[in-house]
Amino acid sequence: MVIQKEKKSCGQVVEEWKEFVWNPRTHQFMGRTGTSWAFILLFYLVFYGFLTAMFSLTMWVMLQTVSDHTPKYQDRLATPGLMIRPKTENLDVIVNVSDTESWDQHVQKLNKFLEPYNDSIQAQKNDVCRPGRYYEQPDNGVLNYPKRACQFNRTQLGNCSGIGDPTHYGYSTGQPCVFIKMNRVINFYAGANQSMNVTCAGKRPQHHRNKGKPTPEDGRDEDAENLGNFVMFPANGNIDLMYFPYYGKKFHVNYTQPLVAVKFLNVTPNVEVNVECRINAANIATDDERDKFAGRVAFKLRINKT
Amino acid sequence: MGLSSTRAAELLARDGPNALSPPKQTPEIIKFLKQMVGGFSILLWIGAFLCWIAYGIQYSNNMSSSLDSVYLGAVLVLVVILTGIFAYYQEAKSTNIMSSFSKMIPQQALVIRDSEKKILPAEQLVVGDIVEIKGGDQIPADIRVLSCQGCRVDNSSLTGESEPQSRSSEFTHENPLETKNICFYSTTCLEGTATGMVINTGDRTVIGHIASLASGVGNEKTPIAIEIEHFVHIVAGVAISIGVLFFIIAVSMKYHVLDSIIFLIGIIVANVPEGLLATVTVTLSLTAKRMAKKNCLVKNLEAVETLGSTSIICSDKTGTLTQNRMTVAHLWFDHQIFMADTSENQSNQVFDQSSGTWASLSKVITLCNRAEFKPGQESVPIMKKVVVGDASETALLKFSEVILGDVMQIRKRNRKVAEIPFNSTNKFQLSIHETEDPGDRRFLLVMKGAPERILERCSTIMVHGQEQPLDESAAQAFHTAYMELGGLGERVLGFCHLYLPADKFPETYVFDTDAMNFPTSNLCFVGLLSMIDPPRSTVPDAVTKCRGAGIKVIMVTGDHPITAKAIAKSVGIISANSETVEDIANRLNIAVEQVNKWDAKAAVVTGMELKDMSPDQLDEILATYSEIVFARTSPQQKLIIVEGCQRQDAVVAVTGDGVNDSPALKKADIGIAMGIAGSDAAKNAADMVLLDDNFASIVTGVEEGRLIFDNLKKTIAYTLTKNIAELCPFLIYIIVGLPLPIGTITILFIDLGTDIIPSIALAYEKAESDIMNRKPRHKKKDRLVNMPLAVYSYLHIGLMQALGAFLVYFTVYAQEGFLPSSLINLRVEWEKDDVNDLEDSYGQEWTRYQRQYLEWTGYTAFFVGIMVQQIADLIIRKTRRNSIFQQGLFRNKVIWVGIASQIIIALILCYGLGSVTALSFTTLRPQYWFVAVPHAILIWVYDEMRKLFIRLYPGSWWDKNMYY
């Protein structure tokens, strides 16, 4: 059949709309009468009320399966990631030595970040633990919390502690400190009872390199030369076992995350240097192809000097 | 004589072959491109281009931006192209069925060329060829008759005149259609022979002109195409308005424009049921196949549904409602009317055969008959045997063969000694036989013919085997019977005989049929016999079914009104207790004009009356009477009737077989051509071909068409539901800032993966109730996708699904360490590549990749959540009103195949491809597959409740708002 598109004049369309919005003949507003609207609103009120209740109930049931102190599953966190401080955009640590503003924000952030590490606070809240072994606080059938945490004193960071430091963590002199921290993972026994440390090296991003296990030779490339010397605090970039395991935010209230500070002493100025730090621990793999931050962290360092 | 072969070849090269050029076909490439841009494809193209534009902007800002959006764009384009190819393939397949069908055995013609008679394919005829035609041939081109002998042609396919027309070599009329010396292409020569010269070939023939006129009538959109367009508009409207709304919201929430574009794409992809149009095509072609099995060959897939929405069927009589063969219906002898079996095999002849009159009558019937079976058909059932002879003689031959056995043998035993064939001046047929009784030396004269002429020649009548004088009362009885049988629309023949006295006509007597040296009066009247082309036995049921289904059946025929009305009554087109105006006038003995026409339900309108009617008057007739028969109409008037019906806002199905039915077939919403009797032009113009020419097949077609409409509704409701579950994640993501619950690619895996087979499976669902007991759907009111359907799918079930899927999502995140409360507004930090120590609810820290992996697990969980609830959705969509338990959970096995396919595809994606990160599926813990089950059960229970209230309170507020 021929579909005759009836051409409606503009006025008719407006008229139809008007009638749709309010039809005085049938007392219909938007195609429904008042009672119909009341019914429909009431229905949806009840219906959605019920759905909300149902959803809340199922959510509540679901949350009962989740414990307060440990997540049910940790399969994604088998390998803790590494991260640097100061936290910068794209992990580019760019320091214009002459331009105070360029590094001042980093310094502010670091000051804030390191404040809980102040020796006084640590002494007040945390225990002195025996180094070289895990600080285990098992529940033994009875919930035992809050758990105690071991002291990590700011002074352990030596020249990078920033205490009474006129060079502002070395940023004003072009010898910046970068702090390496390992991601917290609950009940993770990092190092598998063996000592572990963080090492850093200059190297290009992975896609420029041959795949496979990094070898010491890699350090000999351009980035390594530009990187120059650095010192680490605590010495050798050691992370002590006593800071593990972590028992979670709720139980391990004053937990202090161990840090490794790296002070770069003579970075070639005005050049972008790729740095990669990785943790050497028996139970932490650092060669995940997909996760570039598993057991390692890569960042760019650039010291601009005029 | 004749053309030389070389000259003929020249002319052939000039004029082209003598065949009707097929209607112009849309080029394949255009059809293909149409599939590429039709329906939702445009939206997906927009999505793809937005993806690339987004990448372009990203790229210009940051050379190392990820290629994700390029891939997504490519995937979207791929989806469009694949579904396009698929739809195109389906279309092509169904077109192929048709084209293979229309290939006919090439026609042959006897031509004189190079002074030799040759048999050539009719295609090679050229103007100027001399052709010879004999009875039974189809005329191979337009021909001017040069000489002929008793040539009569059937022009009914051209002019609609059902009477055979005699041809001669004289020019009798200016109008080529009227003059007697022209035979037309594609008409048939019934008897005699003729020699003629070809004057027009191919498209230049008269029939060619009509055929090209028919193809000029544009193809209109089918109702289902309109419905689907309507549906696409609704969904596209929802997609675009939500998309744009959230684009604005996103921008005003200070999102980056680029991100907002990405959101827009997500919303579009979530809203568009990518697989649905392909599903609809498959569903339609499944039904088309099913209909083909029931003898309805559908040329155009969409016509499948059109038949279901038909509200008026204009049906031919001959061959469609009737068996298309004359059959003995009644006998009258011994002052009594007997009924003969008129069913297809006539096996059940129950009338009284013990009377002596019957013995005589049967002898007359057997002997006074020139028809013969073609030899070599011993194994063929009697009714199927081919007979040489005219229709009524054939009927008599078969009638006697069924009752008496081998007629040929009987005739042999009663050797024929003389014969006068039927002619229109005598109006009788006569033959003289020796009798089979060796003791009886008399000759038997048998005669049949027009009853009144036969009666005139009789002086006695046989009653119970005894000859009695034909007195006034016997004549009166004869007239009553004759009127009664004639009133039934039957063709009545009278039979009489006479034993010639042996003394006057010894064995050696030579009968001279020209001199008529034997008596032809004072014969003995034996009986009457009436014949009709009886209705097919399945038709009355089919008509009743149509009635019940609210479909008006109108008979349109070229036949005599009385016959037409009789057949209409016998098949129920005019029901037993309804009367026409004329009937009422007869009964009340008043003039036709005095009858209140509102009292009459039925009407018989002749072509003559129709000719003088204005369209308004026709409309009035169509609206006033529920039972209408159009008799003595020409095929051109059929078009007028169709247009009249369409003015009543009806969906009209029209049957036809002749060439000049083709405009009406085209004009109709669904044209139905006859597979056996139909001409090629009719089949070309039709949307459907009835392989067995049987009206009852139309009705089964209607049933299938209605079923498919219901099932498409279910399919669409099923498919639309999950759109909300796919859309909500994006809306929540934008507004609340959760990590993205489901990715665009994952959505495509639902739309084109897990959901495809289940939605097709709904096409196999049986009808919920007797669909032939309700009115045809109103074109403008009963939409495929109506408000309640959209609201119920989107705002009820869809929302429940979204909640269930979110539950799975939250479970995964919570059990991995991110409690629901911590997720709010986490989006920005979550997606930053340089944040590799994001803290969760327990104080643990996550790298970007660890979070990414968790996000993919979330996608997978959300996907599985939707999938599990789609199973429940599939089950509830089996019915719209009845409980699932009434319908039977296991009756439709394909549903379970669909459910199995859903689960298997999900398992493969999750466990088989879990390691392919590009697809963003991860290996999910087994228990997460069951998290959404309570919500799935809730969906089922809720829907059962909905159906229960609909059944309990029909017409209530609930019914109006919740029944889709």
Side-chain angles (χ1 to χ4, degrees):
Chain A
M1 206 190 105
V2 186
I3 309 302
Q4 263 127 11
K5 284 235 163 143
E6 293 141 44
K7 294 267 182 239
K8 288 180 198 157
S9 71
C10 193
Q12 269 175 310
V13 173
V14 171
E15 210 43 52
E16 273 175 24
W17 263 99
K18 262 189 195 161
E19 191 167 295
F20 175 68
V21 173
W22 174 247
N23 186 338
R25 198 162 35 79
T26 53
H27 289 268
Q28 279 177 330
F29 173 68
M30 308 280 268
R32 283 181 186 280
T33 57
T35 21
S36 181
W37 272 112
F39 261 126
I40 208 97
L41 289 177
L42 182 70
F43 171 78
Y44 278 101
L45 200 69
V46 172
F47 179 57
Y48 286 160
F50 168 73
L51 281 190
T52 317
M54 175 79 190
F55 184 65
S56 311
L57 177 75
T58 46
M59 282 294 273
W60 179 80
V61 170
M62 182 273 287
L63 288 175
Q64 299 312 300
T65 68
V66 180
S67 103
D68 264 353
H69 56 280
T70 6
K72 190 157 181 153
Y73 300 112
Q74 289 181 284
D75 51 301
R76 285 300 101 216
L77 297 176
T79 312
L82 255 50
M83 193 49 185
I84 59 162
R85 286 291 183 275
K87 200 179 192 172
T88 57
E89 190 134 326
N90 294 325
L91 302 187
D92 294 339
V93 182
I94 298 165
V95 180
N96 292 327
V97 175
S98 50
D99 178 8
T100 319
E101 253 172 57
S102 75
W103 43 263
D104 188 49
Q105 40 160 344
H106 299 330
V107 173
Q108 297 302 326
K109 279 185 197 162
L110 286 176
N111 283 339
K112 210 172 163 220
F113 174 66
L114 290 174
E115 209 179 285
Y117 288 86
N118 286 342
D119 294 15
S120 54
I121 297 176
Q122 288 296 317
Q124 183 193 336
K125 288 183 173 167
N126 290 346
D127 298 349
V128 181
C129 307
R130 226 180 91 186
R133 51 180 278 195
Y134 292 120
Y135 187 44
E136 286 181 283
Q137 303 163 75
D139 287 337
N140 292 333
V142 191
L143 275 187
N144 158 28
Y145 72 95
K147 313 263 190 207
R148 305 294 298 167
C150 297
Q151 289 185 2
F152 187 97
N153 288 321
R154 194 165 173 175
T155 44
Q156 282 172 263
L157 296 172
N159 286 349
C160 284
S161 68
I163 302 166
D165 184 1
T167 64
H168 300 286
Y169 307 100
Y171 281 82
S172 60
T173 57
Q175 294 176 320
C177 284
V178 173
F179 298 83
I180 316 284
K181 71 190 234 327
M182 188 164 72
N183 283 353
R184 291 188 295 263
V185 176
I186 290 173
N187 288 333
F188 181 67
Y189 290 82
N193 236 339
Q194 291 158 37
S195 67
M196 54 188 162
N197 70 326
V198 172
T199 54
C200 292
K203 57 186 52 171
R204 300 186 164 187
Q206 199 162 15
H207 58 264
H208 289 300
R209 292 190 293 126
N210 300 329
K211 288 193 171 159
K213 269 202 147 201
T215 55
E217 276 79 17
D218 282 330
R220 290 226 186 88
D221 63 19
E222 210 179 314
D223 278 325
E225 282 160 26
N226 289 337
L227 186 60
N229 299 328
F230 53 85
V231 285
M232 296 181 113
F233 307 97
N236 291 333
N238 269 332
I239 297 180
D240 200 280
L241 296 184
M242 66 182 176
Y243 299 105
F244 302 94
Y246 173 56
Y247 283 108
K249 186 157 88 175
K250 200 150 188 188
F251 288 179
H252 227 155
V253 180
N254 292 320
Y255 180 74
T256 309
Q257 208 168 1
L259 297 176
V260 170
V262 190
K263 189 172 179 71
F264 297 96
L265 297 175
N266 52 352
V267 179
T268 312
N270 305 328
V271 176
E272 203 166 77
V273 184
N274 291 295
V275 188
E276 191 187 70
C277 296
R278 49 177 74 223
I279 184 143
N280 299 308
N283 61 350
I284 301 175
T286 59
D287 56 353
D288 192 315
E289 288 281 320
R290 291 190 188 135
D291 190 351
K292 299 285 185 301
F293 290 86
R296 62 202 142 142
V297 58
F299 58 94
K300 281 187 196 140
L301 195 59
R302 187 186 175 107
I303 314 293
N304 289 333
K305 276 185 185 166
T306 42
Chain B
M1 274 286 287
L3 294 173
S4 67
S5 297
T6 46
R7 176 66 183 146
E10 275 171 33
L11 289 172
L12 188 66
R14 188 193 70 188
D15 295 341
N18 173 34
L20 297 184
S21 52
K24 251 192 203 151
Q25 303 254 312
T26 329
E28 295 297 306
I29 184 74
I30 301 284
K31 280 192 200 165
F32 184 68
L33 289 179
K34 262 191 181 162
Q35 299 288 2
M36 291 289 165
V37 294
F40 295 119
S41 304
I42 286 289
L43 274 185
L44 294 181
W45 281 114
I46 293 172
F49 283 116
L50 284 179
C51 278
W52 291 329
I53 289 168
Y55 176 74
I57 299 172
Q58 265 177 343
Y59 187 77
S60 60
N61 288 343
N62 180 0
M63 303 288 261
S64 65
S65 55
S66 80
L67 287 167
D68 280 359
S69 37
V70 177
Y71 292 144
L72 181 60
V75 167
L76 291 181
V77 170
L78 194 72
V79 165
V80 173
I81 291 177
L82 282 183
T83 50
I85 288 176
F86 181 78
Y88 171 75
Y89 167 75
Q90 281 290 345
E91 280 270 349
K93 216 167 65 175
S94 67
T95 320
N96 278 347
I97 303 174
M98 194 52 215
S99 59
S100 69
F101 180 79
S102 63
K103 286 260 184 307
M104 290 286 177
I105 308 146
Q107 204 192 330
Q108 306 281 328
L110 185 64
V111 192
I112 299 173
R113 284 220 186 136
D114 306 326
S115 308
E116 264 179 69
K117 284 189 185 179
K118 287 181 184 171
I119 291 188
L120 287 178
E123 284 199 356
Q124 293 183 13
L125 288 186
V126 294
V127 172
D129 265 330
I130 309 292
V131 291
E132 286 189 6
I133 296 151
K134 58 180 192 312
D137 283 356
Q138 210 178 19
I139 313 286
D142 281 4
I143 285 167
R144 196 179 77 232
V145 177
L146 299 174
S147 66
C148 74
Q149 277 160 351
C151 175
R152 299 215 291 170
V153 291
D154 175 8
N155 274 354
S156 62
S157 71
L158 189 64
T159 57
E161 286 167 274
S162 52
E163 292 294 308
Q165 314 260 302
S166 66
R167 293 288 102 163
S168 67
S169 52
E170 292 125 47
F171 169 77
T172 57
H173 205 281
E174 291 281 342
N175 185 341
L177 280 169
E178 301 281 331
T179 184
K180 287 200 165 211
N181 65 338
I182 290 181
C183 296
F184 298 102
Y185 180 40
S186 90
T187 59
T188 44
C189 174
L190 293 174
E191 54 186 34
T193 57
T195 311
M197 181 192 272
V198 175
I199 52 170
N200 274 319
T201 59
D203 287 336
R204 286 169 302 281
T205 58
V206 172
I207 223 90
H209 283 298
I210 294 180
S212 60
L213 271 182
S215 59
V217 179
N219 254 336
E220 285 90 22
K221 272 187 190 148
T222 57
I224 193 71
I226 295 167
E227 287 307 313
I228 287 180
E229 199 169 80
H230 176 240
F231 158 69
V232 169
H233 284 164
I234 289 179
V235 172
V238 170
I240 290 173
S241 45
I242 294 184
V244 170
L245 179 69
F246 275 84
F247 183 79
I248 294 167
I249 290 179
V251 170
S252 52
M253 280 175 76
K254 304 272 186 320
Y255 278 100
H256 203 272
V257 175
L258 203 66
D259 289 336
S260 309
I261 292 179
I262 305 272
F263 300 158
L264 186 61
I265 298 163
I267 288 170
I268 290 177
V269 172
N271 253 312
V272 172
E274 287 85 5
L276 190 66
L277 292 187
T279 314
V280 170
T281 320
V282 174
T283 308
L284 287 176
S285 65
L286 279 175
T287 307
K289 263 188 205 158
R290 213 150 51 193
M291 285 166 89
K293 262 188 212 151
K294 296 177 178 169
N295 290 320
C296 297
L297 197 66
V298 180
K299 268 169 72 180
N300 173 357
L301 276 188
E302 287 161 351
V304 169
E305 193 279 327
T306 315
L307 198 53
S309 49
T310 300
S311 50
I312 295 182
I313 300 177
C314 292
S315 175
D316 275 343
K317 180 181 83 67
T318 311
T320 312
L321 296 169
T322 64
Q323 300 171 16
N324 196 18
R325 65 168 170 232
M326 280 314 232
T327 306
V328 176
H330 291 96
L331 304 100
W332 180 79
F333 56 86
D334 295 348
H335 297 324
Q336 216 180 328
I337 289 179
F338 298 93
M339 258 191 21
D341 181 11
T342 54
S343 68
E344 271 83 348
N345 52 18
Q346 299 186 9
S347 56
N348 196 20
Q349 301 288 3
V350 291
F351 62 92
D352 179 23
Q353 294 171 14
S354 59
S355 160
T357 318
W358 165 245
S360 304
L361 180 59
S362 63
K363 194 159 265 175
V364 180
I365 293 170
T366 320
L367 298 179
C368 188
N369 193 334
R370 301 176 62 198
E372 284 176 14
F373 290 114
K374 270 194 183 167
Q377 307 186 76
E378 283 73 22
S379 57
V380 184
I382 296 166
M383 284 305 137
K384 298 249 167 71
K385 283 184 185 173
V386 182
V387 175
V388 188
D390 75 21
S392 46
E393 292 224 299
T394 305
L396 293 172
L397 173 64
K398 288 185 172 174
F399 178 68
S400 43
E401 177 96 4
V402 166
I403 298 176
L404 303 171
D406 197 340
V407 171
M408 292 323 204
Q409 279 302 322
I410 298 174
R411 285 198 202 157
K412 249 183 220 164
R413 290 201 298 272
N414 300 273
R415 201 171 62 82
K416 193 191 291 177
V417 290
E419 174 179 53
I420 302 174
F422 184 89
N423 68 49
S424 46
T425 43
N426 287 341
K427 296 213 163 152
F428 68 78
Q429 178 179 350
L430 173 153
S431 58
I432 301 170
H433 299 258
E434 294 169 351
T435 59
E436 58 187 319
D437 182 358
D440 191 347
R441 290 300 160 101
R442 294 178 298 175
F443 286 102
L444 174 64
L445 184 148
V446 290
M447 187 196 260
K448 77 170 179 209
E452 64 276 14
R453 293 296 182 88
I454 296 292
L455 193 74
E456 281 168 13
R457 295 172 185 276
C458 292
S459 56
T460 56
I461 181 165
M462 186 177 270
V463 179
H464 301 300
Q466 304 300 317
E467 244 176 80
Q468 292 175 359
L470 184 70
D471 54 17
E472 194 67 11
S473 68
Q476 191 56 48
F478 160 86
H479 280 291
T480 318
Y482 180 29
M483 289 306 289
E484 188 172 345
L485 296 178
L488 294 173
E490 297 174 5
R491 188 186 294 173
V492 188
L493 288 177
F495 295 83
C496 61
H497 72 185
L498 181 70
Y499 284 98
L500 301 178
D503 48 345
K504 278 190 194 161
F505 301 94
E507 263 179 90
T508 51
Y509 191 86
V510 179
F511 291 96
D512 184 344
T513 52
D514 290 329
M516 302 258 250
N517 55 351
F518 45 85
T520 56
S521 58
N522 291 328
L523 309 176
C524 170
F525 190 86
V526 184
L528 288 174
L529 196 147
S530 68
M531 285 171 294
I532 197 161
D533 178 10
R536 290 165 176 268
S537 51
T538 46
V539 169
D541 274 351
V543 172
T544 319
K545 256 191 172 177
C546 282
R547 205 41 56 78
I551 302 170
K552 197 160 156 182
V553 183
I554 295 178
M555 180 196 278
V556 183
T557 176
D559 250 339
H560 198 272
I562 295 177
T563 319
K565 192 173 157 194
I567 292 290
K569 279 210 155 169
S570 65
V571 298
I573 287 178
I574 295 180
S575 46
N577 50 5
S578 55
E579 293 174 306
T580 62
V581 174
E582 291 79 9
D583 288 335
I584 297 175
N586 261 343
R587 177 166 53 86
L588 302 175
N589 224 344
I590 53 174
V592 172
E593 291 75 28
Q594 289 174 293
V595 177
N596 178 5
K597 64 182 174 187
W598 299 103
D599 291 343
K601 266 175 75 188
V604 177
V605 182
T606 65
M608 292 302 288
E609 293 166 344
L610 192 57
K611 208 184 269 172
D612 301 331
M613 263 179 216
S614 67
D616 287 341
Q617 280 170 310
L618 177 60
D619 287 355
E620 197 188 318
I621 285 183
L622 289 171
T624 313
Y625 300 106
S626 58
E627 300 167 346
I628 307 173
V629 170
F630 288 98
R632 282 241 177 274
T633 50
S634 70
Q636 281 84 351
Q637 289 180 316
K638 210 179 211 177
L639 185 64
I640 296 170
I641 296 167
V642 170
E643 285 170 337
C645 293
Q646 283 177 338
R647 277 197 300 272
Q648 320 280 315
D649 247 353
V651 177
V652 187
V654 173
T655 68
D657 43 25
V659 172
N660 50 359
D661 282 339
S662 43
L665 290 172
K666 275 255 163 176
K667 181 74 193 168
D669 295 278
I670 179 160
I672 304 169
M674 296 300 139
I676 302 168
S679 60
D680 279 2
K683 285 176 196 165
N684 263 328
D687 305 294
M688 218 176 85
V689 179
L690 223 51
L691 292 180
D692 58 356
D693 289 15
N694 188 349
F695 181 80
S697 305
I698 301 179
V699 180
T700 49
V702 170
E703 212 167 340
E704 288 291 342
R706 289 187 172 190
L707 183 58
I708 198 64
F709 187 80
D710 281 10
N711 285 349
L712 275 181
K713 231 179 188 176
K714 294 173 185 175
T715 302
I716 287 177
Y718 168 77
T719 315
L720 282 189
T721 303
K722 59 161 194 295
N723 279 3
I724 282 295
E726 290 168 353
L727 180 66
C728 283
F730 279 97
L731 308 188
I732 302 278
Y733 168 77
I734 294 168
I735 293 176
V736 186
L738 302 181
L740 188 60
I742 189 167
T744 315
I745 302 279
T746 326
I747 289 177
L748 289 177
F749 270 107
I750 299 179
D751 289 0
L752 297 170
T754 57
D755 258 10
I756 289 288
I757 299 176
S759 48
I760 295 173
L762 283 170
Y764 289 92
E765 199 56 45
K766 299 270 180 310
E768 277 177 71
S769 52
D770 195 354
I771 38 178
M772 294 304 276
N773 274 342
R774 60 179 196 230
K775 293 258 161 299
R777 77 182 178 88
H778 192 285
K779 267 199 289 196
K780 292 186 182 132
K781 283 182 196 146
D782 305 327
R783 310 307 304 250
L784 183 65
V785 178
N786 50 21
M787 195 65 167
L789 184 144
V791 167
Y792 186 67
S793 297
Y794 278 142
L795 297 184
H796 294 208
I797 303 296
L799 210 66
M800 287 188 192
Q801 264 194 5
L803 290 180
F806 266 110
L807 179 68
V808 194
Y809 162 85
F810 280 127
T811 309
V812 167
Y813 275 76
Q815 298 198 337
E816 288 278 359
F818 289 93
L819 295 181
S821 52
S822 69
L823 292 174
I824 292 165
N825 277 328
L826 194 61
R827 192 190 80 87
V828 178
E829 286 290 298
W830 181 276
E831 289 182 351
K832 267 190 189 158
D833 282 332
D834 50 12
V835 175
N836 277 292
D837 53 351
L838 187 75
E839 199 178 307
D840 67 14
S841 310
Y842 295 93
Q844 305 185 99
E845 290 165 318
W846 295 64
T847 65
R848 171 68 181 132
Y849 181 75
Q850 286 162 347
R851 295 194 309 265
Q852 181 77 67
Y853 195 88
L854 180 58
E855 190 177 316
W856 289 338
T857 312
Y859 293 177
T860 316
F862 209 93
F863 165 82
V864 167
I866 292 180
M867 189 278 292
V868 166
Q869 294 177 89
Q870 277 294 81
I871 294 178
D873 189 26
L874 181 61
I875 291 174
I876 65 167
R877 300 300 184 184
K878 276 163 70 76
T879 59
R880 292 185 296 150
R881 179 185 291 273
N882 289 351
S883 162
I884 295 299
F885 302 102
Q886 285 172 302
Q887 181 80 354
L889 201 48
F890 298 99
R891 235 179 40 180
N892 180 357
K893 305 275 184 302
V894 189
I895 289 277
W896 293 93
V897 173
I899 291 176
S901 81
Q902 265 181 316
I903 296 173
I904 290 168
I905 291 173
L907 284 173
I908 290 173
L909 286 174
C910 183
Y911 296 113
L913 301 175
S915 51
V916 185
T917 48
L919 300 180
S920 54
F921 277 95
T922 68
T923 313
L924 204 64
R925 288 198 163 74
Q927 69 265 34
Y928 292 146
W929 289 67
F930 300 97
V931 175
V933 169
H935 278 259
I937 294 171
L938 176 74
I939 287 175
W940 192 345
V941 171
Y942 177 69
D943 193 62
E944 278 296 321
M945 220 175 69
R946 176 187 75 91
K947 290 169 187 163
L948 179 70
F949 284 128
I950 287 174
R951 290 196 305 275
L952 283 183
Y953 305 108
S956 66
W957 176 89
W958 183 273
D959 189 14
K960 273 183 213 140
N961 284 285
M962 306 291 269
Y963 181 69
Y964 57 88

